[in-house]
C-alpha cells in the first residue's frame, strides 16, 4: 500500500495543541500568575443568566445588554471565576414580580410584542405604561425583565441564607422602573424586589447608588419607611438632566411623624467631577451614614455611566476611582448586594464591572487584559483594564470645593435627625418570596406528574416493538 495514502494513521494531539485546551491552560496560568484564590473569611457569589446578554433594544438604542458578555469574558479570562460561586438564575415568577409591581402592568409586559401598535394618549401624547423610545418593546422583553430580576432575587436569597457575603448581579440595577410603568430603559425594578427580600431577615437596609442618574425608582418605593435608607450620588439639573429629581432638599416625607422622614438622602453633583473629589465625598458621606443608620445589609448600585467618556454621562471618573467606592463599602463587612445599572460605552462598562468583581474577591489583577480574552479587539488600541477615561470627552469640573462641602454638611444635618437605628416590628414584613417559589415549583412538579400519567396511559396499548403511538 502506498505510504502517501490519503488515509493516515491517527495521531493523538499533544496536550496544549488544541484551541480548547490552549485557552483552558492559559486561563489556569493566569489564575496562578495573579494569585486568584477564594477569599478567606467570606464568600462571593456571581449571578446571572446568559439569555439576558442576547437581548437587543434596537440598533440605535444606547442600552446594549451584550456589555454583560464582554464583562463575563474579562472575568473568566483573568480566572476570577475560580474565587466565586457561580449561579445561573431562573426567571422571576409573576407572583414575585407583583410583590412590588401592579398586576396589570406585569400582564402588559407579558403579552405585548413589537407587532402591537400602541397608540399614544390623546391628552399628553404618552404611550401606555410609559413605553416609547426610551423603553421600547422588543422581542423577549418579558423574558429579559424576569431573568435579570430573578438573578437579583437569587443573589438576595444567598445573602439571607448565609450562603454568600457578597452577591454580584451585573445584569441588575435597573433603578428607574416604577410600580406601574417603565422609565429610563428600566422595566422591572429588580433592586426594590431584592430589598424586599432582604427585609424579610434584615431590620435595616442601606441602598447606595453611584449611577450618574438619580435612583428615583428605589427612593420612591421606600419613601415612607425607616427600614430602608436610600443614598444617591448623581448629576442633578432639574428639568434638564434625566430624571430631574434628587435635589439636596429631597430627604423624604416633610412630616417628621412619617417614619421615612430624613431617610432619602441625595448628593446632587454638577458636570465633570473628578476622581479625588468624588471618592473623598463618597467616603465622607457613606461612613457617617453607616455609623448612624447601622444597616444590617447594604445594596450598592454600580452604574457605569458615571465613568468619563460615557455616551450619556457627564462625569470624569476613571475605573479605579469608581471601584474605590466598592472597596470602601466592602470594608464595613455587612452582607452586600452589588448590582449593575447604567453604562452606555460597553467596552468601558465591561472593564469597570470586571475590575469591581476583582475588588469584591480581593484579587489584584494586572492592567493588561489577558491576550486570550475573547473579543479583545473591542478594547483596542490599549487593551488595558484601566484606560485614561478622564481624557475622553472631558467635562470641565463645575464642582467647587465650597459646593461639595455644602453638600456634605447638608447631608450630615439630615443624619442629626436620626435618633439611632429604627425599631422594627418584624411581623410587618412582605410575604416570603421563597414561599411563592415553592408554590410554583410544586405546580410545575404536579404538571410533570400529570404529563407522565398521560404518557404511560398511551403506552399501555402499544402492540409490537417499533409501533409508533401518536
Amino acid at each position: 500500500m502506498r505510504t502517501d495514502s490519503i488515509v493516515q494513521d491517527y495521531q493523538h494531539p499533544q496536550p496544549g495543541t488544541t484551541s480548547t485546551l490552549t485557552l483552558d491552560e492559559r486561563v489556569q496560568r493566569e489564575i496562578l500568575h495573579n494569585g486568584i484564590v477564594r477569599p478567606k473569611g467570606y464568600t462571593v457569589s456571581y449571578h446571572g443568566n446568559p439569555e439576558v446578554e442576547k437581548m437587543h433594544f434596537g440598533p440605535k438604542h444606547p442600552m446594549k445588554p451584550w456589555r454583560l458578555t464582554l464583562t463575563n469574558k474579562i472575568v473568566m479570562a483573568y480566572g476570577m471565576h475560580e474565587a466565586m460561586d457561580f449561579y445561573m438564575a431562573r426567571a422571576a415568577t409573576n407572583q414575585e414580580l407583583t410583590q412590588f409591581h401592579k398586576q396589570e402592568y406585569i400582564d402588559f409586559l407579558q403579552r405585548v410584542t413589537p407587532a402591537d401598535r400602541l397608540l399614544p394618549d390623546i391628552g399628553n401624547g404618552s404611550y401606555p405604561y410609559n413605553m416609547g423610545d426610551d423603553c421600547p418593546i422588543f422581542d423577549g422583553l418579558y423574558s429579559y425583565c424576569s431573568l435579570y430580576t430573578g438573578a437579583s432575587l437569587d443573589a438576595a436569597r444567598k445573602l439571607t441564607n448565609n450562603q454568600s457575603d457578597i452577591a454580584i448581579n451585573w445584569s441588575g440595577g435597573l433603578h428607574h422602573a416604577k410600580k406601574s410603568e417603565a422609565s429610563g430603559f428600566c422595566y422591572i425594578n429588580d433592586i426594590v424586589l431584592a430589598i424586599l427580600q432582604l427585609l424579610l431577615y434584615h431590620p435595616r437596609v442601606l441602598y447606595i447608588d453611584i449611577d450618574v442618574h438619580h435612583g428615583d425608582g428605589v427612593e420612591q418605593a421606600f419613601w415612607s419607611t425607616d427600614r430602608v435608607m436610600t443614598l444617591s450620588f448623581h448629576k442633578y439639573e432639574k428639568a434638564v438632566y434625566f430624571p430631574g429629581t434628587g435635589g439636596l432638599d429631597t430627604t423624604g416625607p416633610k412630616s417628621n411623624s412619617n417614619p421615612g422622614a430624613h431617610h432619602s438622602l441625595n448628593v446632587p453633583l454638577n458636570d465633570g467631577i473628578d476622581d479625588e473629589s468624588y471618592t473623598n465625598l463618597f467616603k465622607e458621606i457613606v461612613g457617617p451614614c453607616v455609623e448612624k443608620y447601622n444597616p444590617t445589609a447594604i445594596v450598592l448600585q454600580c452604574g457605569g455611566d458615571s465613568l468619563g467618556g460615557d455616551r450619556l454621562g457627564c462625569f470624569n471618573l476613571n475605573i479605579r476611582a469608581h471601584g474605590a467606592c466598592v472597596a470602601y463599602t466592602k470594608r464595613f463587612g455587612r452582607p452586600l448586594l452589588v448590582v449593575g445599572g447604567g453604562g452606555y460605552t460597553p467596552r468601558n462598562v465591561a472593564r469597570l464591572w470586571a475590575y469591581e468583581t476583582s475588588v469584591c474577591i480581593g484579587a489584584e489583577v494586572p492592567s493588561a487584559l489577558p491576550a486570550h480574552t475573547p473579543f479583545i479587539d473591542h478594547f483596542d488600541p490599549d487593551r488595558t483594564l484601566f484606560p485614561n477615561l478622564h481624557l475622553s470627552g472631558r467635562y470641565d469640573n463645575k464642582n467647587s470645593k465650597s459646593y461639595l462641602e455644602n453638600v456634605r454638611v447638608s447631608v450630615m444635618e439630615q443624619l442629626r435627625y436620626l435618633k439611632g437605628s429604627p425599631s422594627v416590628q418584624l411581623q410587618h414584613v412582605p410575604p416570603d418570596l421563597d414561599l411563592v417559589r415553592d408554590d410554583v415549583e410544586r405546580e410545575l412538579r404536579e404538571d410533570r406528574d400529570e404529563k407522565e400519567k398521560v404518557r404511560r396511559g398511551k403506552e399501555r396499548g402499544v402492540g409490537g416493538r417499533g409501533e409508533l403511538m401518536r
Side-chain angles (χ1 to χ4, degrees):
M1 189 175 75
R2 293 175 54 187
T3 58
D4 60 346
S5 172
I6 293 175
V7 179
Q8 301 291 330
D9 290 337
Y10 174 74
Q11 293 183 346
H12 193 282
Q14 296 298 311
T17 60
T18 63
S19 59
T20 302
L21 287 175
T22 300
L23 177 60
D24 182 65
E25 288 172 353
R26 287 178 178 178
V27 172
Q28 290 302 316
R29 286 200 298 267
E30 195 75 29
I31 291 171
L32 293 174
H33 176 72
N34 298 330
I36 303 290
V37 294
R38 294 183 71 86
K40 294 182 179 179
Y42 67 99
T43 301
V44 180
S45 57
Y46 197 87
H47 305 260
N49 191 302
E51 293 301 312
V52 176
E53 305 168 24
K54 302 175 184 178
M55 301 301 172
H56 189 51
F57 279 59
K60 295 183 179 180
H61 199 285
M63 176 64 93
K64 307 294 183 185
W66 63 271
R67 61 191 181 157
L68 298 168
T69 302
L70 296 179
T71 301
N72 293 333
K73 296 303 183 184
I74 298 176
V75 168
M76 300 287 283
Y78 275 116
M80 290 186 246
H81 56 286
E82 287 288 315
M84 300 181 286
D85 295 330
F86 264 59
Y87 295 96
M88 187 168 75
R90 64 168 178 81
T93 66
N94 186 290
Q95 292 93 330
E96 289 171 329
L97 298 176
T98 53
Q99 293 300 306
F100 171 62
H101 294 283
K102 288 189 175 180
Q103 182 66 62
E104 56 265 30
Y105 175 51
I106 300 302
D107 291 343
F108 170 80
L109 292 178
Q110 201 162 13
R111 71 172 183 269
V112 71
T113 69
D116 294 327
R117 297 191 62 183
L118 301 181
L119 299 177
D121 184 91
I122 297 177
N124 56 26
S126 63
Y127 287 86
Y129 302 105
N130 202 32
M131 296 292 170
D133 291 340
D134 279 0
C135 300
I137 297 167
F138 55 87
D139 286 327
L141 173 60
Y142 182 76
S143 176
Y144 168 71
C145 296
S146 57
L147 285 171
Y148 76 69
T149 301
S152 287
L153 286 173
D154 185 43
R157 290 192 185 103
K158 294 300 184 290
L159 295 175
T160 57
N161 293 338
N162 296 318
Q163 292 175 265
S164 182
D165 299 289
I166 300 175
I168 303 169
N169 173 27
W170 295 128
S171 68
L174 281 77
H175 57 173
H176 294 307
K178 309 301 191 299
K179 192 176 185 71
S180 58
E181 68 176 33
S183 178
F185 316 159
C186 307
Y187 301 86
I188 295 296
N189 201 313
D190 62 291
I191 301 172
V192 170
L193 290 166
I195 291 176
L196 289 175
Q197 180 68 32
L198 292 172
L199 289 175
L200 298 172
Y201 301 90
H202 289 279
R204 295 169 302 281
V205 175
L206 172 62
Y207 170 69
I208 306 172
D209 192 315
I210 55 175
D211 195 289
V212 76
H213 300 98
H214 177 228
D216 58 333
V218 182
E219 179 185 87
Q220 186 182 108
F222 298 108
W223 184 255
S224 296
T225 181
D226 58 0
R227 292 191 59 194
V228 178
M229 173 179 280
T230 61
L231 173 61
S232 180
F233 295 76
H234 53 269
K235 154 76 175 180
Y236 175 71
E237 192 172 359
K238 190 174 183 179
V240 175
Y241 196 79
F242 182 86
T245 55
L248 191 58
D249 58 348
T250 304
T251 59
K254 297 299 182 183
S255 173
N256 286 329
S257 62
N258 190 308
H262 313 293
H263 284 77
S264 296
L265 304 180
N266 286 293
V267 182
L269 301 169
N270 299 316
D271 289 350
I273 192 164
D274 56 29
D275 293 350
E276 184 178 3
S277 300
Y278 192 94
T279 54
N280 286 343
L281 186 65
F282 184 87
K283 294 174 182 178
E284 290 171 353
I285 289 179
V286 171
C289 285
V290 172
E291 181 180 358
K292 187 71 173 180
Y293 186 63
N294 191 26
T296 53
I298 299 175
V299 177
L300 179 60
Q301 197 266 20
C302 299
D305 47 9
S306 46
L307 291 175
D310 187 80
R311 181 176 174 182
L312 299 183
C314 55
F315 290 169
N316 293 326
L317 299 185
N318 280 297
I319 287 172
R320 281 193 175 94
H322 201 284
C325 298
V326 178
Y328 184 75
T329 306
K330 174 188 170 186
R331 285 177 47 192
F332 295 107
R334 315 294 167 97
L336 177 61
L337 172 58
V338 179
V339 293
Y344 308 103
T345 304
R347 62 184 181 275
N348 293 336
V349 177
R351 288 164 160 144
L352 172 71
W353 290 346
Y355 173 62
E356 291 179 339
T357 300
S358 76
V359 170
C360 289
I361 64 175
E364 293 187 12
V365 294
S367 300
L369 292 173
H372 55 268
T373 304
F375 309 116
I376 196 167
D377 290 349
H378 284 281
F379 306 99
D380 285 340
D382 46 39
R383 299 191 175 188
T384 178
L385 192 61
F386 304 112
N388 292 321
L389 301 180
H390 64 288
L391 299 178
S392 57
R394 183 180 177 88
Y395 286 77
D396 291 336
N397 189 352
K398 298 180 180 179
N399 300 272
S400 65
K401 290 184 178 180
S402 60
Y403 173 77
L404 295 177
E405 177 61 14
N406 178 65
V407 171
R408 186 194 68 81
V409 170
S410 180
V411 174
M412 294 304 102
E413 184 66 23
Q414 294 304 315
L415 292 180
R416 288 181 55 196
Y417 287 96
L418 301 186
K419 298 178 182 179
S421 305
S423 58
V424 178
Q425 295 178 321
L426 289 178
Q427 64 269 30
H428 298 298
V429 295
D432 192 340
L433 295 180
D434 277 329
L435 296 179
V436 175
R437 181 183 62 179
D438 291 343
D439 290 341
V440 172
E441 290 178 348
R442 185 172 58 253
E443 290 175 6
L444 292 174
R445 190 164 54 249
E446 291 173 352
D447 184 57
R448 287 195 299 269
D449 291 344
E450 183 64 27
K451 290 180 179 179
E452 181 67 13
K453 289 180 181 178
V454 172
R455 184 185 67 79
R456 289 176 179 174
K458 289 182 178 180
E459 288 179 348
R460 290 193 184 100
V462 177
R465 177 179 295 179
E467 182 176 333
L468 178 63
M469 296 293 296
R470 295 188 181 275

